[in-house]
Amino acid sequence: MTSSPSVPVSVAPNFITEIIGRDLASGKYPRVVTRFPPEPNGYLHLGHTFASFLDFQTAAQFDGRYHLRLDDTNPAGESQEFAEAIQDDLRWLGWDWGEKLYYASDNFERYYAYAVKLIELGKAYVDSVSGSEMARLRGSAFGVGTPSPYRGRSVAENLDLFARMRAGEFADGAHVLRAKIDLASTNMKLRDPVLYRIVRAHHYRQGDGWCIYPMYDFQHPLQDALEGVTHSLCSLEFVDNRAIYDWLMETLAFAPRPHQYEFGRRSLEYTVVSKRKLRRLVQGGHVSGWDDPRMPTLRAARRLGVRPQAIKAFASAIGVSRTNRTVDLAVYENAVRDDLNPTAPRVLAVIEPLAVTLSHLETRTLSLPYWPDDVVQASPDGLVALPGGERVKPEAAVRPVALSNTLYIERQDFSLTPPKGFKRLTLGGVVRLRGAGLIRADEVIYGESGEVTGLKATWLGEDSGGLKPAGVIHWVDAQSGLSAEFRLYDRLFRVPNPEGPNHDDSLPDFDPEQPGHEDAAQPASSDFLRFLNPESLKVTRGFVERSVAADPPGTRYQFERQGYFWPDPEDSRSDALVFNRIITLRDTWGKSEPALKGKTEPKSARAEPQKAEAPSLTPTQSAEVTRLRALGVAEAEAVVLARDSVLSAYFADTTRQAPQVAAWVVNELGAALRAGEVRLQVNDLPALADLLASGQISSRIAKDVLTESLESGEAPAGIVARRGLKVVSDTGELAAIIDRVLAANPGKLAEYKGGRTGLLGFFTGQVMRASGGQADPQAVGTLLKAKLDS
RNA sequence: UGGGGCAUCGUCCAAUGGCAGGACAUCGCUCUUUGGAAGCGACGAUCAUGGUUCGAAUCCAUGUGCCCCAGCCA
């Protein structure tokens, strides 16, 4: 294999790395520890790549540690085979978790002990209602839950029952252990979640040792804490579960404790990834197996020939955010091509052969370079790889290729009726054989039914007789070339979103972290099968140049003008070559389907201005608005104040400087007030407003001071006095600052003079910063404009 | 219906009150013994309506749209 000089892939800065950076800086944790926790009940797919990459790479970048955890707490569907396949795929991607391999099931005993502790704390109880009854009692969104008749059981009774649950005295489903949290919570997750259920199932690791199994919400936080995880990353649908996570950590008093952070999922166009749909594809014979190269599994990508570096580059490219998104397939394809372009040596293969007999040619052996000039030139060490991986001087990176008077060219490279712009061979036309001189097509040989079966051509060497070759085509010598099978893979589905209601749209439908958990009660829809691409696999027979026979088995090539290929690891043999097409070359000429993606809709068409109606007020609120208006408070702020009990309680009976104070309370302090984080006294605000009104400070200074006193609680006017803040509007002083800023940014200045007037904001910001926020922004504005335009 | 999450070019991600930027895609040009690669350029967005501010993608309010939760799955 070639050693790739490719760029290191990394997670771009995001909201999670920001949090980690803060936690590390504050010393909250000495080092970061993350984990990737797949359940071993299926194969890893492209979607998992993103989650595992985020978990592992983030830790690696912070010089932390990452764990692989098999989250095997539900025996149904889990197996050692899956557990091993997951590890295998992850190792293939290049991850190394060292000793840090965990099986959740190894800790069943410890979970049990924590459950007992919860019971002893009076925070958990054994419930004995049926599943449907429990659902009924939990209530629905608009009502509160009703306590089960068993909620009040004594600690002793709970302990006894729970022990007997474990001992196998009860039938499946007869009892459950529940947390005692809050049946009235608006967060349904908190309405006494189930912690343990009785299931008599054989566990692939624990055998029949247990007949009770812990639930995710109980087990996962514990396992994180037990492993010493610091940042537990999961996808967005677990936000509600975080409340249980925190409750458990606090109730059981773990310190230091892990925290859960959620990220948005990423799905990929043209891909289904639901486990049951994938199984349908396999069982229905639509694909050859879980590693059929068209499948979205990692095993399939691996068999297809995609390199792990490409998968990681893709994961790196799609970014992290708090929104579920569907990524353009082109991003994935680009990652695959980008990885292969500098790493796959070029050779020649003809996929759909057309025989050509050459005249005026003496058989010879050519020496052809494996790499085009641009790859050679881009090489950092000046060397390029041989197929075996050895890096050599460019002139040594060549292979012998025989050329005799019979050869094959691509059937598509000859046309009797060439379309406009056709740059290949036509009757009487001249074309260049890649690396082997020019030929002219003289005669067409037809078969019985009139089809073209061959050509007769003249080899011209470099002497075209003044004719300009139409283009360059690839070829394989018929005498020495090796017969091969080519498997031309394409996307499995015809539409971007085979499982959503709008097939042409994109819709996420997988959890990037967990191999499969759909509603088992719903029948799997087979609707998506309608969108199978009938041309997702095309098999042809053709020829490849003999040199490949000497190369190591796993060599990836670019078959020039065709795409990237490698021998199928399962089916290819030295005497019966089978090549998989990993991906085509980009083709800007054919521009077949992508052009008719048809999703460009002018935005203006859908954007109809909507009017936001004023909220309706209760009589009390109206009265409050009237009172505030009388104090001079602006309408908008009065309404907000009147409707928000926290804000109005804070504002209270303020009358002096009421309009300004109200504006600050609403616009600046609102969020902090509601979060209960404000130490600043409302009584201290009018004094600050006085300073503003008298022109001693600017509103910018006022705002800065406000944020500072928000936390410290120090009176803002006091801060102003202590720090000697005052608005700088002295023209001379400001002009000096402006001159300094302009001198420091000559490039920007030139751009501004060149017409980029938007830069005015940039300069204003710089001047404000240079003055420590004390410059009078209005004065700066006029002065700056005068200077810039002079 | 209750709670929660989210909203920036066609797509994905940035901009942490001061230049709306990058990548992919698309289109054009240059170069090319791959209709590849590379280089250059173009196109193209802050969900809406108000408010605060000298200045808002960012702060405040209201509205709209999408997603998640009411498994003894994870």
Side-chain angles (χ1 to χ4, degrees):
Chain A
M1 223 69 359
T2 52
S3 64
S4 161
S6 54
V7 237
V9 287
S10 60
V11 292
N14 59 72
F15 67 100
I16 293 171
T17 58
E18 209 170 288
I19 291 167
I20 293 177
R22 270 204 302 273
D23 288 349
L24 255 23
S26 73
K28 184 172 177 180
Y29 305 106
R31 70 189 298 201
V32 57
V33 180
T34 64
R35 103 272 90 117
F36 175 57
E39 182 185 13
N41 68 349
Y43 295 101
L44 254 31
H45 54 66
L46 249 15
H48 299 104
T49 304
F50 175 65
S52 61
F53 180 79
L54 186 58
D55 283 327
F56 290 170
Q57 183 62 33
T58 301
Q61 264 170 238
F62 281 96
D63 204 20
R65 202 170 70 210
Y66 54 83
H67 300 177
L68 172 62
R69 169 150 96 230
L70 283 314
D71 223 3
D72 52 358
T73 56
N74 180 9
E78 296 171 357
S79 72
Q80 191 61 38
E81 187 208 329
F82 287 135
E84 272 157 27
I86 287 170
Q87 294 175 55
D88 186 47
D89 286 341
L90 256 13
R91 262 188 243 109
W92 173 69
L93 280 174
W95 301 115
D96 179 10
W97 44 88
E99 300 294 295
K100 298 301 180 181
L101 169 67
Y102 293 89
Y103 287 87
S105 56
D106 287 349
N107 281 327
F108 279 174
E109 199 64 61
R110 300 175 78 179
Y111 301 155
Y112 182 84
Y114 280 113
V116 168
K117 194 169 166 192
L118 236 32
I119 295 173
E120 289 167 348
L121 255 24
K123 300 287 192 183
Y125 63 98
V126 173
D127 201 354
S128 309
V129 297
S130 69
S132 54
E133 176 67 356
M134 194 191 301
R136 193 183 68 80
L137 291 174
R138 183 151 33 223
S140 67
F142 35 16
V144 298
T146 314
S148 148
Y150 306 101
R151 197 175 197 251
R153 285 211 257 235
S154 70
V155 168
E157 191 181 358
N158 283 323
L159 251 15
D160 173 60
L161 250 16
F162 188 49
R164 289 164 61 196
M165 280 169 63
R166 174 179 182 174
E169 288 188 28
F170 307 114
D172 287 11
H175 306 282
V176 293
L177 184 72
R178 287 230 258 171
K180 192 185 281 188
I181 307 181
D182 181 7
L183 285 168
S185 175
T186 49
N187 178 355
M188 299 298 288
K189 293 284 181 196
L190 251 22
R191 318 253 264 224
D192 288 10
V194 172
L195 268 25
Y196 267 95
R197 75 280 205 189
I198 304 175
V199 184
R200 279 182 181 71
H202 185 83
H203 190 279
Y204 74 103
R205 284 175 66 85
Q206 300 299 324
D208 299 313
W210 292 83
C211 65
I212 57 171
Y213 289 93
M215 301 288 290
Y216 168 87
D217 281 317
F218 177 63
Q219 167 274 139
H220 205 94
L222 289 181
Q223 181 66 30
D224 281 345
L226 259 19
E227 287 179 27
V229 166
T230 56
H231 301 261
S232 182
L233 314 183
C234 65
S235 51
L236 226 40
E237 69 269 27
F238 290 94
V239 248
D240 293 342
N241 303 246
R242 189 176 62 221
I244 307 181
Y245 197 109
D246 291 339
W247 179 87
L248 260 180
M249 290 298 104
E250 280 157 28
T251 307
L252 261 14
F254 279 96
R257 50 154 290 196
H259 286 268
Q260 173 183 308
Y261 301 96
E262 309 86 16
F263 56 84
R265 304 180 308 184
R266 294 288 175 277
S267 40
L268 227 210
E269 289 179 341
Y270 298 94
T271 310
V272 309
V273 100
S274 110
K275 189 183 150 203
R276 292 192 312 157
K277 283 179 182 147
L278 294 181
R279 195 185 305 128
R280 256 193 110 98
L281 289 170
V282 173
Q283 287 171 350
H286 301 102
V287 295
S288 65
W290 289 95
D291 66 344
D292 183 298
R294 292 165 292 180
M295 292 284 274
T297 56
L298 245 26
R299 312 183 87 61
R302 203 217 284 219
R303 178 167 175 188
L304 212 214
V306 174
R307 301 204 318 158
Q309 291 91 328
I311 305 265
K312 281 176 152 180
F314 168 65
S316 166
I318 58 186
V320 186
S321 72
R322 237 177 120 77
T323 316
N324 293 332
R325 301 282 199 176
T326 300
V327 177
D328 196 327
L329 220 216
V331 176
Y332 176 71
E333 295 180 332
N334 177 259
V336 175
R337 289 194 184 102
D338 228 36
D339 173 58
L340 258 10
N341 178 46
T343 56
R346 273 57 165 175
V347 296
L348 300 174
V350 169
I351 280 160
E352 284 183 273
L354 178 66
V356 180
T357 312
L358 257 31
S359 57
H360 296 90
L361 171 78
E362 273 176 41
T363 299
R364 64 195 65 200
T365 296
L366 309 164
S367 175
L368 299 183
Y370 275 117
W371 301 98
D373 287 343
D374 50 73
V375 173
V376 174
Q377 275 152 22
S379 168
D381 56 2
L383 304 179
V384 285
L386 258 14
E390 188 194 347
R391 292 182 76 78
V392 297
K393 289 194 172 138
E395 53 272 26
V398 296
R399 80 283 184 188
V401 179
L403 173 64
S404 69
N405 60 5
T406 56
L407 51 77
Y408 297 106
I409 65 167
E410 206 67 57
R411 186 162 279 273
Q412 288 192 342
D413 283 337
F414 174 76
S415 176
L416 275 172
T417 53
K420 196 167 158 9
F422 190 70
K423 288 170 69 173
R424 309 302 159 208
L425 196 55
T426 56
L427 194 53
V430 174
V431 88
R432 176 177 293 282
L433 293 180
R434 172 109 245 225
L438 307 164
I439 59 167
R440 185 186 62 230
D442 300 321
E443 190 184 336
V444 180
I445 300 166
Y446 297 95
E448 285 172 12
S449 46
E451 78 281 12
V452 175
T453 58
L455 295 176
K456 289 190 175 175
T458 307
W459 189 75
L460 305 168
E462 287 305 321
D463 177 20
S464 65
L467 270 173
K468 230 185 106 191
V472 183
I473 65 171
H474 58 277
W475 55 278
V476 170
D477 176 60
Q479 269 148 45
S480 63
L482 304 170
S483 168
E485 174 180 319
F486 299 95
R487 296 180 179 172
L488 310 178
Y489 292 104
D490 199 355
R491 51 189 70 156
L492 227 205
F493 291 96
R494 291 155 25 217
V495 296
N497 175 27
E499 34 192 353
N502 295 313
H503 310 288
D504 290 333
D505 283 358
S506 327
L507 237 201
D509 193 51
F510 69 86
D511 175 345
E513 198 165 287
Q514 307 301 337
H517 49 85
E518 299 126 76
D519 188 346
Q522 296 296 318
S525 165
S526 56
D527 199 44
F528 72 104
L529 293 174
R530 290 194 292 133
F531 302 109
L532 248 12
N533 175 9
E535 294 175 359
S536 61
L537 171 59
K538 205 174 135 194
V539 179
T540 73
R541 288 215 64 89
F543 300 90
V544 60
E545 63 173 71
R546 174 161 291 273
S547 76
V548 303
D551 297 334
T555 305
R556 294 168 175 85
Y557 303 97
Q558 185 194 108
F559 290 164
E560 294 209 40
R561 303 213 306 122
Q562 291 290 353
Y564 297 96
F565 290 74
W566 86 329
D568 184 89
E570 297 293 322
D571 297 341
S572 188
R573 297 197 314 270
S574 56
D575 59 345
L577 295 169
V578 177
F579 286 97
N580 293 340
R581 184 174 69 196
I582 304 167
I583 196 161
T584 60
L585 254 27
R586 226 169 129 249
D587 184 359
T588 47
W589 192 61
K591 78 184 89 158
S592 40
E593 335 134 60
L596 35 104
K597 259 186 177 174
K599 47 170 144 184
T600 320
E601 201 174 294
K603 246 191 174 172
S604 52
R606 74 167 163 105
E608 228 168 85
Q610 316 148 338
K611 266 191 210 115
E613 256 163 59
S616 55
L617 300 172
T618 66
T620 328
Q621 290 171 342
S622 303
E624 177 65 358
V625 169
T626 313
R627 183 185 77 85
L628 293 166
R629 295 290 284 137
L631 292 172
V633 173
E635 175 87 28
E637 279 107 15
V639 170
V640 175
L641 236 27
R643 285 165 41 93
D644 191 304
S645 56
V646 177
L647 264 42
S648 68
Y650 183 77
F651 186 77
D653 50 3
T654 304
T655 52
R656 205 162 70 75
Q657 292 285 9
Q660 182 60 70
V661 172
W664 280 332
V665 167
V666 169
N667 293 309
E668 308 297 323
L669 310 180
L673 278 169
R674 277 184 280 259
E677 291 166 351
V678 173
R679 300 182 54 196
L680 166 67
Q681 302 295 311
V682 72
N683 294 339
D684 290 334
L685 289 174
L688 185 67
D690 287 340
L691 291 174
L692 214 207
S694 68
Q696 288 176 258
I697 61 170
S698 64
S699 62
R700 163 63 176 260
I701 295 178
K703 247 175 235 189
D704 288 349
V705 169
L706 231 31
T707 7
E708 188 180 333
S709 53
L710 213 49
E711 286 177 39
S712 68
E714 184 180 355
I719 298 179
V720 171
R722 176 166 60 79
R723 304 232 315 258
L725 299 173
K726 67 173 183 14
V727 68
V728 177
S729 44
D730 174 74
T731 313
E733 210 169 321
L734 288 180
I737 300 177
I738 290 173
D739 286 340
R740 258 185 287 133
V741 166
L742 293 185
N745 298 281
K748 299 283 189 191
L749 183 56
E751 280 183 62
Y752 181 91
K753 300 258 188 203
R756 204 169 150 202
T757 51
L759 250 22
L760 184 62
F762 164 76
F763 286 117
T764 312
Q766 293 296 309
V767 172
M768 291 305 293
R769 194 159 303 156
S771 74
Q774 296 193 66
D776 173 8
Q778 262 151 0
V780 169
T782 42
L783 263 174
L784 197 50
K785 196 139 180 36
K787 279 213 185 270
L788 285 168
D789 294 340
S790 66

